[in-house]
Amino acid sequence: MTGPQRATERWGTALENALLVLLLGAMIVLATAQIVLRIGFDRGLIWADELLKILVLWVALVGSVATSRGRRHLRIDLLSHYLPERYARLPVLIVDGFAAIVCGFVAWHSARYVLLTVEFGDTVLVGVPAWLVQGVLPVAFALMAYRFGLYWLKGLLDLFRRGPMGPPP
Amino acid sequence: MILASVLLVLLAVLGAPLFAIIAASAMLGYQQQGIDLMAIAIEILGLAEMPFLSAIPLFTFAGYLLSESGAPQRLVRLTGAVIGWVPGGLALVALAACAFFTAFTGASGITIIALGAILYPALKHDGYPDDFNLGLVTSSGSLGLLFAPSLPLILYGVIAKVPIDDLFRAGILPGLLMLLMLSGWSLWVNRRNRTPAREFSLRQVRVALRESIWELPLPVVVLGGIYSGFFAVSEAAAVTALYVLIVEVAVLRDVKVSELPRIMRESMLLVGAILIILGVSLASTNYMIDAGVPQQLLGLVADLVSSQTSFLLLLLLFLLVLGAILDIFSAIVLVVPLILPIAAQYDVSQIHLGIVFLAAMQLGYLTPPVGLNLFIASYRFDKSILDVCRATFPFLVILLLSVIAITFWPQLSLMLVG
């Protein structure tokens, strides 16, 4: 890995962590505050439930971006358990490329959708523009496309350098 | 279209992320029906419309935090003090502690790492045979997923739109049945090694209780709160997360504040992996329902079976195969929406269906080729997969018998549901 690559890796991970800590922390605080209000004062914040659900959406997407680091998404994990690394190289290359393309498609079409909601002036919560909340969707899938694309590129270089069944690095 | 489906299955077997497979199949379906592909965005954003979903990140975080603290040791010591005096007691201690811990930490293999590491050497020390220990610890890693508040139960409730507290009640007896049958087997195998783990001592119990004083309210508050209807499941999850955070970090100081970001990240990796699959499968499920897939499946099933019993048999066989290739979370999200309408045709209640589904998928943790527990145990205890499979086999058979009983005895699940 080159210097700039390592720097993006470090800063990217730090940013993911900061976001996850923030989102999860907000979720805990908001949810317990709601309970205290309900039990202690017999009332609740009208927007709190909606915000909590939005936080879940964000945690899901940011968490999924973080999961793509190190390829930790749920999958049918046959090859890595039963094939030696060198034989699994080609299949891994194929599925990384596939995942990058699919994520790219989802990012593209959800960006189109979000732009449409900007046009219509959709809002969520109390007058917050919807794109602020929904914008996470294209961004997250674009980041995953980028991540899988990087893995694919790395795999491809490896393949050229060592051949499809050459010795492990 | 058939070619595309075959290609997707092939990619899945090669190890493509399941969410990408599902997203691709949904987009292909849209394409074919002339629906704008933007629709996939609307479906994924539907994650923000689902009730109770916040329970999943909150319980997962609480579980990860617990497993990083001293709670596993304290749980083993407490269980040991309470039931360790029974002959063959340590095996029972292992089963009970694992079941309890799995219920609270979701069924992600964490139990094997957190508790197995304590129990495996302890069992060996007490003279239990190695194969037995390995099998016990491996199969206990997913025991307890029928007990509240386990993640698969919550996920099934969200997807099938069944009251989650009903599911929590329904899981109790089937879960106990599994626990009892495994306990019986353990006692029988070790009938020659009848030395109790320890003498019963009231003082020991008191010490263990005092040591766990901060964690003891947790099951009471969570389970009591949910079963009494005082807390919704998402509220119970929030209380659990905040309570565990305060106790383990501020009161007991088992976990340093500086470790929190790592633990939060680790727990959210699992959550992200589950919820992204849920998001994209909202799209694929809607497409499949529009395309009439459940009706076609029903037609297919109707040709094969006519009675409820034969339907349950077919369902069980299907789930066992499913569990061998797919993890429990993906299986719930993908398959439950499709079999719910079919089960309804055969008068199988949604609650019973849920318990059968999860119980059968629990076996999937232990069956090759992709059983998660097999790999975690093999890695954690440095044994070959084949060794772990062989050691686990008797436990798998016992669990299979219990799953058969759970499937064909609906009353067991439904008795406690009001």
Side-chain angles (χ1 to χ4, degrees), chain B residues 111-342:
Chain B
T111 307
I112 299 180
I113 296 169
L115 282 181
I118 308 168
L119 291 167
Y120 185 61
L123 285 161
K124 192 171 186 169
H125 177 263
D126 274 22
Y128 290 86
D130 197 47
D131 260 6
F132 171 80
N133 303 341
L134 191 60
L136 181 76
V137 172
T138 307
S139 45
S140 303
S142 49
L143 191 64
L145 67 79
L146 291 180
F147 294 135
S150 88
L151 290 187
L153 273 176
I154 297 174
L155 196 60
Y156 179 86
V158 168
I159 296 200
K161 301 189 179 72
V162 180
I164 294 171
D165 49 331
D166 279 356
L167 281 171
F168 283 180
R169 279 194 197 91
I172 297 175
L173 293 179
L176 280 178
L177 178 72
M178 285 185 164
L179 200 54
L180 278 178
M181 286 176 67
L182 282 182
S183 301
W185 165 252
S186 301
L187 289 180
W188 196 77
V189 169
N190 296 296
R191 61 199 176 281
R192 285 191 189 83
N193 176 14
R194 299 302 291 244
T195 44
R198 61 178 81 189
E199 303 258 297
F200 181 77
S201 124
L202 208 57
R203 206 185 63 82
Q204 283 285 338
V205 175
R206 223 178 292 131
V207 169
L209 275 177
R210 195 172 312 129
E211 189 185 57
S212 313
I213 192 90
W214 285 102
E215 278 126 0
L216 283 175
L218 209 53
V220 180
V221 170
V222 173
L223 302 182
I226 293 174
Y227 285 135
S228 68
F230 188 72
F231 286 136
V233 63
S234 46
E235 293 181 322
V239 172
T240 307
L242 186 67
Y243 184 83
V244 170
L245 188 64
I246 292 173
V247 165
E248 305 300 346
V249 178
V251 180
L252 297 172
R253 305 199 184 185
D254 277 359
V255 177
K256 290 201 207 76
V257 176
S258 60
E259 289 175 291
L260 276 179
R262 177 184 59 80
I263 299 173
M264 283 186 166
R265 179 195 174 87
E266 273 304 308
S267 60
M268 289 310 106
L269 290 187
L270 178 68
V271 171
I274 297 174
L275 292 187
I276 196 72
I277 290 189
L278 178 56
V280 291
S281 65
L282 290 175
S284 71
T285 305
N286 271 354
Y287 154 71
M288 282 196 268
I289 288 173
D290 283 349
V293 174
Q295 283 83 348
Q296 289 167 18
L297 281 177
L298 181 61
L300 216 68
V301 172
D303 287 344
L304 285 170
V305 299
S306 51
S307 70
Q308 194 195 50
T309 312
S310 46
F311 167 72
L312 284 174
L313 181 66
L314 187 68
L315 176 73
L316 186 57
L317 290 175
F318 168 70
L319 291 178
L320 293 178
V321 174
L322 188 71
I325 47 174
L326 223 54
D327 68 278
I328 191 166
F329 300 110
S330 312
I332 294 174
V333 166
L334 272 177
V335 177
V336 166
L338 298 180
I339 59 172
L340 271 172
I342 304 176

Side-chain angles (χ1 to χ4, degrees), chain A residues 157-169:
Chain A
L157 287 177
D158 244 27
L159 205 63
F160 273 122
R161 228 176 287 147
R162 274 181 273 271
M165 288 176 191

